[in-house]
Amino acid sequence: DKEYLKPMIGYFYDTFMNAVSENRPLLTKEVLTNVTGAKVFAPPMAKELGYVDAIVPTQAHAIEALAEASGLKDTKYQVVSLE
């Protein structure tokens, strides 16, 4: 049912647009809307287009990959979220 899916699609659209525009300073929401036609991309296509650096299943995986890339894999570290 299309009406059932609309809020879910809207959620993923907003999440994608916010994530890209917050983490890619040159890709504002205006640029994304005008350049891409405001489309949401599957992770492999988003990576191919340069909207994401890597495809990771969870935030924990992303943090682990960052720790490894930073040489902290076998070191104790703490993740702090600022709001």
Side-chain angles (χ1 to χ4, degrees), residues 25-57:
L26 299 178
L27 291 173
T28 63
K29 288 182 184 180
E30 283 182 359
V31 169
L32 287 170
T33 301
N34 294 330
V35 173
T36 69
K39 296 176 185 171
V40 174
F41 296 96
M45 180 60 75
K47 183 176 181 194
E48 183 178 319
L49 293 170
Y51 299 152
V52 298
D53 294 324
I55 301 168
V56 292

Side-chain angles (χ1 to χ4, degrees), residues 47-77:
K47 183 176 181 194
E48 183 178 319
L49 293 170
Y51 299 152
V52 298
D53 294 324
I55 301 168
V56 292
T58 65
Q59 182 181 18
H61 284 95
I63 292 168
E64 185 178 321
L66 180 61
E68 185 172 341
S70 302
L72 299 173
K73 184 178 180 187
D74 297 323
T75 306
K76 286 189 175 187
Y77 59 88

